[in-house]
Amino acid sequence: MSAHADNHAHDDDHGHHHKETFVTKYIFSQDHKMIAKQYLVTGTIMGVIGVIMSFMFRMQIAWPEEPNVLFEALLGKWAPDGVMDADIYLALVTIHGTIMVFFVLTAGLSGTFSNLLIPLQIGARDMASGFLNMVSYWLFFLSCIIMVSSLFVEAGPAAAGWTIYPPLSALPMAQGGSGMGMTLWLVSMAIFIASSLLGSLNYVVTVINLRTKGMSMTRLPLTIWAFFVTAIIGIISFPVLLSAALLLIMDRSFGTSFFLSDIFIQGEVLHYQGGSPVLFEHLFWFLGHPEVYIVILPAMGLVSEIMASNSRKPIFGYRAMIASILAIAFLSTIVWGHHMFISGMNPFLGSVFTFTTLLIAIPSAVKAFNWITTLWKGNLQMNPAMLFSIGFVSTFITGGLTGIILGDSALDINVHDTYFVVAHFHLVMGISALYGMFAGIYHWYPKMYGRMLNKNLGYIHFWITAVCAYGVFFPMHFIGMAGLPRRYYTNSNFPLFDDLANVNVIITIFALVGGVVQVIYLYNFFISMYYGKKAVQNPWQSTTLEWTTPVEHIHGNWPGEIPHVYRWAYDYSKPGHDVDFVPQNIPLKDGEEELQH
């Protein structure tokens, strides 16, 4: 594909903009770099809220019915005498899952790094539409506010699990958490989807139209390929969740019965008939499974870039990596049924979904092998970004292996809705995506803030986080295989599970330590903005275009002409050069061949 050279006219005028006020610079900014920071800080705040919720429900599971001062302080009437109410437990699990999946991982990865890196790495002045970019952030911010405000509704926040299956979510009278809290959940998600669609359309148009001269598709860094394909998946699948949310609102407020049929409450027959709650499952998981890859693909792109840079080697199998991203994107849209093996699905259809689910392991394995091969015999720079990248590969493989069990319809029936499922998706999606996000922050922090994070605090952050993550989720596989169901606020009524109580205490201790150690990261993140060591232009000696921009942010990214591209993104340790990296904007020497692995 041919690329486009000067994506905005009047290059020379970009360094001479009118003086920005606080409001235009920090609030209503249309600069992609500032919007990336807004996403990151907002996602971080939401992450703190989500982690505090996980503290509370983990303590409830470990020490059920024991008075807890924290519960009394934070939950008020929902924890009389410090003992957690059963209804609020499910609400905490619901909002925790929603916040972490949508507001932290989706926004923290796509929102932050797509905004930061797409224009910088393809050689563009900004996004295709700075205004739409700003609007997408403020819709995201509004959806966060509405979701958090639902915590303060008198009847309680949404409480149907983060998957909000009917009839709990469709009948406002079903329980406290089915009332106003659920309505706010649905409104918040509708606005979030609008934000995601605006952002995704912007990313796709920018990558297609605004690449600098010489930046063909096969010279794009793997980060851009990951963001580009992630945006396409979002455009295809998010509208399906929006349709599910709108139909659910109609069932709740306008007397329709898309998802309801033959409902009895306390012996009274409700007027609903003809609907099917399984229809909601299909609509939800048609987004829900691609959502896993909307979260994990950007992390894969970041990790690929960081590993090549810190191995001082070209990424292994560049074209195979692109092919696997495309294969994952396609297959992710035809595997949603593996979440529904026990919903009464036809066994033949179950076998089809088993086949497609196991098939998606192949491109995932290609990526894992290519990362390992990139590390092999490399000159490894073990900084915090590299450690989190290697940690990502570890958790992605260990979490992915259990996916083979859950993807098999016959095996899944035995562990469905147990802690085995919780362990699987937290490792393969939650922890892996967080590691990718942390790796990206440690690597591109100098580009965002012009200063370096403290490396020693980064090491402490990584090692304690890595030990605690496995300490939490590895034992969960075993209590899941023992049959312990998820989402139960206490297991003390079941003598069958008495022997597992001590395991839950150990898991909770690891969770508390792992959560508290994130304070070190937060301290490092915010203090380094002002007191961190000042960054040089290319601190990691990387080859991609973002490191050719000045350390001081300017609107338009480059002060003069946009650099042209002459080579692919991974010319590390190339024979015939005096240094072990050759940036993309350096022309080829006479007789030098361009590498394409």
Side-chain angles (χ1 to χ4, degrees):
M1 281 191 192
S2 63
H4 304 273
D6 296 321
N7 26 60
H8 290 178
H10 311 301
D11 285 349
D12 295 335
D13 296 338
H14 274 280
H16 308 289
H17 273 263
H18 59 275
K19 183 72 175 167
E20 288 187 307
T21 64
F22 178 87
V23 172
T24 58
K25 183 175 182 182
Y26 292 105
I27 300 178
F28 297 114
S29 174
Q30 295 185 26
D31 180 4
H32 71 99
K33 299 181 291 296
M34 181 56 68
I35 292 170
K37 293 182 198 174
Q38 290 173 321
Y39 268 110
L40 182 56
V41 172
T42 310
T44 299
I45 294 167
M46 294 298 285
V48 170
I49 296 169
V51 168
I52 290 171
M53 288 180 176
S54 67
F55 278 4
M56 288 195 284
F57 60 70
R58 276 309 325 169
M59 287 191 281
Q60 166 63 24
I61 297 168
W63 303 287
E65 281 142 48
E66 286 187 25
N68 189 306
V69 179
L70 183 68
F71 294 170
E72 202 162 11
L74 293 177
L75 299 177
K77 69 172 185 176
W78 300 107
D81 301 321
V83 178
M84 187 183 288
D85 184 81
D87 288 341
I88 201 64
Y89 176 84
L90 184 57
L92 288 173
V93 172
T94 301
I95 304 298
H96 163 81
T98 305
I99 284 176
M100 298 309 282
V101 170
F102 295 108
F103 296 100
V104 178
L105 298 178
T106 304
L109 281 159
S110 278
T112 300
F113 291 103
S114 294
N115 266 305
L116 177 71
L117 294 178
I118 286 177
L120 288 171
Q121 289 195 336
I122 69 171
R125 294 289 183 197
D126 206 321
M127 284 290 178
S129 171
F131 177 75
L132 278 185
N133 210 15
M134 178 187 76
V135 170
S136 73
Y137 168 72
W138 282 108
L139 287 173
F140 167 68
F141 183 80
L142 178 61
S143 69
C144 289
I145 295 295
I146 294 172
M147 187 61 70
V148 172
S149 70
S150 74
L151 300 172
F152 302 98
V153 173
E154 186 177 356
W162 77 277
T163 54
I164 59 157
Y165 285 173
L168 271 184
S169 59
L171 295 170
M173 72 290 283
Q175 58 173 347
S178 299
M180 177 57 76
M182 180 59 69
T183 301
L184 289 172
W185 192 101
L186 291 165
V187 171
S188 171
M189 287 308 300
I191 295 171
F192 173 83
I193 292 165
S195 159
S196 295
L197 287 173
L198 286 178
S200 296
L201 289 167
N202 222 347
Y203 306 151
V204 169
V205 172
T206 304
V207 172
I208 291 174
N209 286 341
L210 299 187
R211 302 189 309 280
T212 188
K213 187 175 181 181
M215 182 63 84
S216 63
M217 294 298 278
T218 52
R219 285 177 175 169
L220 287 173
L222 289 172
T223 38
I224 303 301
W225 271 105
F227 300 146
F228 177 62
V229 173
T230 298
I232 293 170
I233 301 174
I235 292 166
I236 292 168
S237 58
F238 264 120
V240 180
L241 181 63
L242 182 61
S243 69
L246 293 176
L247 294 178
L248 196 52
I249 289 169
M250 291 176 74
D251 275 9
R252 290 171 56 79
S253 304
F254 301 106
T256 59
S257 55
F258 291 104
F259 306 130
L260 295 169
S261 182
D262 303 330
I263 301 289
F264 293 79
I265 290 187
Q266 295 177 338
E268 181 188 350
V269 184
L270 301 188
H271 64 276
Y272 299 105
Q273 57 184 352
S276 168
V278 176
L279 171 62
F280 179 86
E281 288 191 44
H282 280 291
L283 293 174
F284 181 89
W285 287 115
F286 189 82
L287 160 93
H289 205 81
E291 169 65 20
V292 172
Y293 294 100
I294 289 171
V295 164
I296 207 73
L297 277 178
M300 289 176 168
L302 297 173
V303 163
S304 300
E305 185 69 32
I306 292 165
M307 280 196 173
S309 182
N310 288 300
S311 298
R312 316 309 296 163
K313 277 178 63 183
I315 192 78
F316 184 86
Y318 173 78
R319 289 172 186 265
M321 290 291 241
I322 294 171
S324 63
I325 289 172
L326 295 171
I328 286 170
F330 170 70
L331 291 170
S332 73
T333 61
I334 55 171
V335 297
W336 78 90
H338 67 223
H339 296 271
M340 301 169 57
F341 283 146
I342 67 164
S343 64
M345 179 185 288
N346 181 301
F348 172 74
L349 196 56
S351 67
V352 172
F353 280 117
T354 296
F355 174 71
T356 57
T357 302
L358 297 180
L359 208 58
I360 207 169
I362 297 170
S364 301
V366 168
K367 298 192 83 63
F369 284 123
N370 283 13
W371 288 319
I372 293 167
T373 316
T374 302
L375 295 173
W376 179 251
K377 292 191 176 179
N379 178 19
L380 305 184
Q381 318 294 306
M382 287 299 190
N383 51 43
M386 184 64 153
L387 288 174
F388 273 110
S389 298
I390 295 170
F392 168 92
V393 178
S394 169
T395 53
F396 184 71
I397 292 171
T398 50
L401 287 172
T402 54
I404 295 171
I405 295 169
L406 294 172
D408 188 302
S409 54
L411 297 175
D412 174 71
I413 289 167
N414 300 289
V415 289
H416 189 88
D417 259 344
T418 69
Y419 272 93
F420 191 91
V421 178
V422 178
H424 160 73
F425 77 75
H426 274 84
L427 274 180
V428 81
M429 183 175 101
I431 299 298
S432 296
L434 276 177
Y435 281 2
M437 190 167 82
F438 285 139
I441 290 166
Y442 279 102
H443 190 75
W444 279 284
Y445 191 89
K447 186 47 56 188
M448 281 194 269
Y449 294 102
R451 292 181 182 270
M452 306 294 286
L453 286 165
N454 184 300
K455 190 185 282 190
N456 291 329
L457 290 180
Y459 290 142
I460 295 169
H461 176 216
F462 169 75
W463 284 111
I464 300 178
T465 301
V467 170
C468 290
Y470 274 125
V472 170
F473 297 112
F474 199 71
M476 277 191 193
H477 291 94
F478 298 100
I479 62 176
M481 286 191 287
L484 191 68
R486 61 176 175 166
R487 296 182 184 167
Y488 282 26
Y489 86 111
T490 175
N491 301 297
S492 54
N493 293 332
F494 305 98
L496 171 69
F497 301 131
D498 286 348
D499 292 342
L500 305 180
N502 290 337
V503 181
N504 260 325
V505 171
I506 291 167
I507 291 171
T508 300
I509 290 168
F510 273 117
L512 293 173
V513 174
V516 168
V517 83
Q518 305 313 309
V519 174
I520 295 173
Y521 157 73
L522 292 173
Y523 171 83
N524 195 3
F525 183 89
F526 288 107
I527 292 295
S528 296
M529 283 184 200
Y530 304 100
Y531 304 109
K533 178 185 167 188
K534 288 199 172 177
V536 296
Q537 187 174 13
N538 189 355
W540 315 118
Q541 298 190 322
S542 296
T543 58
T544 41
L545 286 184
E546 75 269 28
W547 304 107
T548 64
T549 60
V551 177
E552 298 76 25
H553 287 176
I554 58 170
H555 193 80
N557 296 332
W558 288 270
E561 188 183 353
I562 297 174
H564 294 176
V565 167
Y566 301 96
R567 56 184 73 235
W568 74 323
Y570 300 103
D571 268 347
Y572 291 102
S573 302
K574 190 173 185 182
H577 287 271
D578 298 332
V579 289
D580 67 351
F581 72 107
V582 189
Q584 285 188 279
N585 62 323
I586 303 297
L588 294 168
K589 295 179 179 179
D590 289 339
E592 181 185 357
E593 289 186 20
E594 183 180 358
L595 295 176
Q596 288 288 338
H597 286 280

